[in-house]
């Protein structure tokens, strides 16, 4: 049993003072309690401890596109001129290296769990990699020490050369995803769930089959939806209705559905999300970089839709920055302030992310994994120090002022210290990449 002392502990539900976190041998929180009168203070003491961030949507290999992100004329231009050429050159080593690089950055920024939306299924000639690439992503997560949900993509459509790296027959997509999920079913840090890529990447039959697989696995399922204005036109042309209405019509829109992006929703779509109790992942920085648009965030949250955050193309690796941009975008669009409170934004960085991935993380409570980060309240971007400690004030400062790699004193995953003062405690990136 190990012990950590927090002068202030943010559980995800409340701010507590003077708490001891007891962590058992399996990495679970065995107790959260006040220090006993005669008890010796634990050796490890932090100013401010809070749940680790849960990044619900990442494409790790897209970190290789950072020099070009922001340069394309629009989303389609980015896909055709930058994304597909990169995809055609990917191999196991590049996938592994890109994942190690960005997962390492995420940990340093306080992200303890990542949902990796993995869709490079095939070798360059279009033959199945037989899960070699998926296992490379898992290997990278284990090398770094981050918790990962591999969101294994189902993709059976092809119209461009780059899509041969993704496209596979329906039966193969379902069989391989289910086999991978079963292989890692007992791994405490790895989970696998299915994700029909999108309405343009997955057929109606594959989307229905993917949702059915999620039911068998007991997981949510993810799908890119309503990211671009043209997505509604595509759905109308092919299916005669809006994107979200398609899922409803096919009988797969329910509490297990997780919509990624969900930017171009009309009022009827908002009602569908609420009535079906869907989950959602919003990716503000990537949506800004690609000119996608701005989600109707205040309305989604007000109606009870749990909206998580993702780093998507990984132009940056901080969910606190994603939360900051989510609010600033609302202010820019609405020309007023305070559309989303700090407490709501904070929940989007952890609790809602865990919900999007179907995980028992995102809050700190007895029996849950000891995934947390510690913040130094005397670091420059957390100054001036708040004289009268207040939960809302602390969260506001964390989201709107803090520089994560500067303020974060430590990051723990499953009870194990992974990052201390901005440096990974055991991973040597140079040695790993040259081994």
């Amino acid at each position: 049993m190990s012990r950590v002392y927090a002068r202030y502990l943010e559980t995800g539900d409340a701010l507590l003072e003077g708490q001891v976190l007891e962590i058992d041998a399996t990495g679970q929180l065995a107790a959260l309690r006040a220090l006993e009168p005669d008890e010796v203070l634990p050796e490890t003491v932090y100013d401010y401890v809070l749940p680790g961030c849960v990044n619900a949507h990442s494409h790790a290999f897209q970190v290789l596109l950072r020099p070009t992100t922001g340069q394309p004329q629009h989303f389609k231009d980015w896909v055709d001129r930058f994304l597909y050429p990169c995809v055609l050159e990917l191999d196991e080593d590049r996938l592994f290296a890109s994942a190690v690089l960005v997962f390492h950055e995420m940990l340093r920024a306080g992200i303890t769990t990542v949902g990796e939306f993995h869709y490079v299924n095939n070798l360059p000639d279009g033959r199945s990699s037989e899960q070699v690439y998926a296992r490379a992503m898992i290997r990278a997560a284990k090398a770094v020490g981050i918790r990962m949900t591999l969101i294994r993509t189902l993709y059976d459509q092809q119209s461009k050369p780059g899509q041969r790296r993704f496209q596979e027959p329906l039966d193969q997509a379902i069989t391989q995803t289910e086999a991978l999920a079963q292989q890692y079913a007992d791994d405490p840090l790895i989970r696998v769930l299915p994700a029909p890529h999108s309405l343009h990447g997955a057929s109606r039959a594959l989307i229905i089959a993917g949702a059915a697989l999620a039911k068998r696995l007991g997981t949510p399922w993810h799908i890119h939806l309503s990211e671009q204005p043209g997505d509604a036109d595509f759905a109308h042309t092919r299916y005669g209705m809006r994107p979200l209405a398609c899922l409803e019509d096919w009988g797969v829109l329910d509490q297990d559905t997780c919509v990624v992006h969900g930017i171009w929703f009309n009022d009827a779509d908002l009602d569908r999300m609420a009535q079906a109790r869907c989950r959602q992942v919003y990716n503000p920085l990537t949506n800004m970089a690609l000119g996608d648009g701005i989600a109707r965030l205040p309305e989604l949250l007000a109606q009870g839709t749990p909206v998580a955050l993702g780093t998507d193309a990984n132009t940056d690796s901080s969910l606190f920055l994603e939360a900051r941009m989510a609010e600033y975008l609302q202010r820019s669009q609405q020309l007023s302030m305070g559309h989303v409170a700090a407490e709501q934004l904070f929940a989007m960085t952890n609790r809602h992310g865990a919900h999007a991935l179907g995980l028992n993380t995102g809050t700190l409570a007895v029996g849950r994994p000891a995934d947390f980060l510690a913040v130094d309240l005397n670091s420059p971007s957390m100054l001036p120090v708040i004289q009268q400690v207040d939960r809302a004030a602390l969260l506001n400062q964390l989201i709107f002022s803090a520089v994560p790699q500067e303020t974060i004193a430590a990051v723990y995953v499953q009870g194990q210290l992974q990052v201390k003062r901005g440096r990974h405690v055991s991973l040597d990136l140079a040695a790993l990449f040259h081994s």
Side-chain angles (χ1 to χ4, degrees):
M1 187 80 69
S2 61
R3 298 187 308 151
V4 169
Y5 183 77
R7 294 189 174 97
Y8 297 98
L9 174 68
E10 170 60 59
T11 67
D13 297 309
L15 181 68
L16 307 176
E17 292 189 40
Q19 294 291 299
V20 176
L21 292 79
E22 293 186 354
I23 305 167
D24 69 21
T26 68
Q28 306 294 304
L29 283 169
L32 295 175
R33 59 174 178 80
L35 196 69
E36 299 292 339
D38 298 326
E39 185 178 2
V40 176
L41 194 70
E43 183 177 340
T44 304
V45 177
Y46 297 118
D47 286 346
Y48 181 34
V49 170
L50 53 149
C53 295
V54 181
N55 180 1
H57 188 76
S58 160
H59 301 298
F61 81 85
Q62 291 181 15
V63 73
L64 301 173
L65 293 171
R66 277 183 181 168
T68 62
T69 303
Q71 298 304 312
Q73 299 175 33
H74 44 68
F75 179 83
K76 186 177 183 299
D77 179 51
W78 176 75
V79 169
D80 291 340
R81 273 204 302 139
F82 301 115
L83 180 64
Y84 285 145
C86 175
V87 163
L88 289 171
E89 295 180 355
L90 288 174
D91 57 19
E92 183 180 355
D93 288 342
R94 288 188 182 187
L95 282 165
F96 175 77
S98 62
V100 168
L101 174 61
V102 78
F103 293 166
H104 175 267
E105 288 185 358
M106 289 177 191
L107 265 182
R108 292 177 61 236
I111 293 171
T112 53
T113 298
V114 58
E116 179 58 31
F117 200 111
H118 174 72
Y119 57 88
V120 185
N121 299 317
N122 300 330
L123 301 171
D125 62 6
R127 291 180 296 124
S128 173
S129 74
E130 301 297 336
Q131 310 277 48
V132 166
Y133 297 151
R135 292 192 179 94
M137 307 308 288
I138 293 171
R139 185 160 47 91
K142 287 183 171 292
V144 172
I146 197 168
R147 185 184 305 279
M148 184 174 77
T149 293
L150 186 85
I151 305 170
R152 208 284 193 180
T153 306
L154 317 177
Y155 201 118
D156 65 349
Q157 304 297 294
Q158 181 181 342
S159 61
K160 298 179 180 180
Q163 292 171 323
R164 69 172 176 262
R165 302 302 304 270
F166 320 146
Q167 188 272 338
E168 56 187 344
L170 184 152
D171 288 346
Q172 176 180 303
I174 296 299
T175 299
Q176 288 198 4
T177 303
E178 189 162 18
L180 196 68
Q182 291 172 348
Q183 179 182 351
Y184 290 95
D186 296 326
D187 192 309
L189 292 178
I190 304 296
R191 198 181 195 202
V192 178
L193 60 82
H197 181 273
S198 57
L199 290 186
H200 63 265
S203 64
R204 170 179 173 169
L206 185 54
I207 292 171
I208 292 172
L213 174 58
K215 295 291 185 190
R216 293 200 299 275
L217 296 175
T219 69
W221 62 280
H222 288 214
I223 184 169
H224 293 111
L225 210 73
S226 296
E227 178 180 4
Q228 295 286 311
D231 289 350
D233 295 334
F234 175 89
H236 269 293
T237 299
R238 178 165 292 190
Y239 298 114
M241 62 193 84
R242 290 181 60 81
L244 203 62
C246 290
L247 303 188
E248 183 180 56
D249 184 66
W250 302 340
V252 296
L253 188 69
D254 60 23
Q255 69 276 5
D256 293 329
T257 307
C258 186
V259 173
V260 179
H261 298 301
I263 293 171
W264 294 93
F265 281 164
N266 62 16
D267 291 344
D269 292 327
L270 293 178
D271 290 341
R272 289 187 180 96
M273 289 290 288
Q275 290 169 11
R277 296 186 294 125
C278 296
R279 313 168 198 213
Q280 184 168 338
V281 185
Y282 180 34
N283 309 276
L285 284 175
T286 297
N287 296 149
M288 290 168 67
L290 299 181
D292 292 335
I294 303 172
R296 297 174 66 175
L297 186 57
E299 293 157 286
L300 286 160
L301 294 173
Q303 71 183 16
T305 298
V307 182
L309 292 171
T311 59
D312 200 352
N314 292 301
T315 57
D316 198 277
S317 302
S318 167
L319 282 201
F320 295 127
L321 181 58
E322 295 284 353
R324 187 182 306 176
M325 291 303 103
E327 167 63 2
Y328 285 175
L329 283 168
Q330 296 301 320
R331 297 183 187 196
S332 298
Q333 185 179 58
Q334 305 297 332
L335 305 182
S336 60
M337 298 175 65
H339 282 275
V340 186
E343 291 90 339
Q344 292 176 297
L345 293 166
F346 181 66
M348 291 169 64
T349 70
N350 42 60
R351 176 187 296 170
H352 291 183
H355 181 64
L357 300 176
L359 297 176
N360 187 32
T361 57
T363 58
L364 294 176
V366 173
R368 294 180 185 247
D371 292 2
F372 61 88
L373 60 99
V375 169
D376 180 357
L377 293 179
N378 289 297
S379 66
S381 63
M382 291 297 287
L383 296 175
V385 175
I386 301 168
Q387 298 302 314
Q388 185 66 38
V389 174
D390 172 83
R391 182 173 186 246
L394 272 176
L395 294 180
N396 265 296
Q397 196 158 0
L398 181 69
I399 291 168
F400 293 111
S401 300
V403 177
Q405 288 85 345
E406 171 196 283
T407 61
I408 293 174
V411 180
Y412 288 71
V413 179
Q414 198 77 7
Q416 296 296 311
L417 177 65
Q418 297 292 352
V419 172
K420 183 176 182 180
R421 294 291 176 186
R423 298 184 65 86
H424 200 288
V425 298
S426 60
L427 181 65
D428 184 334
L429 282 180
L432 183 65
F433 287 156
H434 292 93
S435 61

Short mmCIF file of all heavy atoms in Angstrom, two decimals, residues 97 160 300 303 378 401:
data_model
loop_
_atom_site.label_atom_id
_atom_site.label_comp_id
_atom_site.label_asym_id
_atom_site.label_seq_id
_atom_site.Cartn_x
_atom_site.Cartn_y
_atom_site.Cartn_z
N ALA A 97 6.46 5.04 -33.64
CA ALA A 97 7.21 6.23 -33.22
C ALA A 97 6.28 7.42 -33.02
O ALA A 97 6.42 8.17 -32.04
CB ALA A 97 8.28 6.56 -34.26
N LYS A 160 -10.52 6.39 -53.11
CA LYS A 160 -9.22 7.04 -53.33
C LYS A 160 -8.10 6.08 -52.94
O LYS A 160 -8.28 5.21 -52.08
CB LYS A 160 -9.13 8.32 -52.51
CG LYS A 160 -10.19 9.36 -52.90
CD LYS A 160 -10.08 10.60 -52.06
CE LYS A 160 -11.15 11.60 -52.47
NZ LYS A 160 -11.10 12.85 -51.69
N LEU A 300 -25.86 21.62 -26.02
CA LEU A 300 -25.64 20.20 -25.79
C LEU A 300 -25.53 19.91 -24.30
O LEU A 300 -26.14 18.97 -23.77
CB LEU A 300 -24.38 19.73 -26.52
CG LEU A 300 -24.51 19.59 -28.04
CD1 LEU A 300 -23.13 19.60 -28.70
CD2 LEU A 300 -25.25 18.29 -28.39
N GLN A 303 -28.83 20.34 -22.28
CA GLN A 303 -29.82 19.29 -22.45
C GLN A 303 -29.36 17.96 -21.84
O GLN A 303 -30.06 16.96 -21.89
CB GLN A 303 -30.14 19.09 -23.93
CG GLN A 303 -29.02 18.43 -24.73
CD GLN A 303 -29.35 18.31 -26.20
OE1 GLN A 303 -30.27 18.95 -26.71
NE2 GLN A 303 -28.62 17.45 -26.89
N ASN A 378 2.29 26.98 -6.81
CA ASN A 378 3.24 28.09 -6.83
C ASN A 378 3.99 28.21 -8.16
O ASN A 378 4.92 29.01 -8.27
CB ASN A 378 4.24 27.95 -5.69
CG ASN A 378 3.61 28.21 -4.34
OD1 ASN A 378 3.13 29.31 -4.08
ND2 ASN A 378 3.56 27.19 -3.49
N SER A 401 -5.54 29.66 -17.32
CA SER A 401 -4.22 30.29 -17.12
C SER A 401 -3.06 29.31 -17.15
O SER A 401 -1.97 29.66 -17.59
CB SER A 401 -4.19 31.03 -15.77
OG SER A 401 -5.18 32.03 -15.71
#
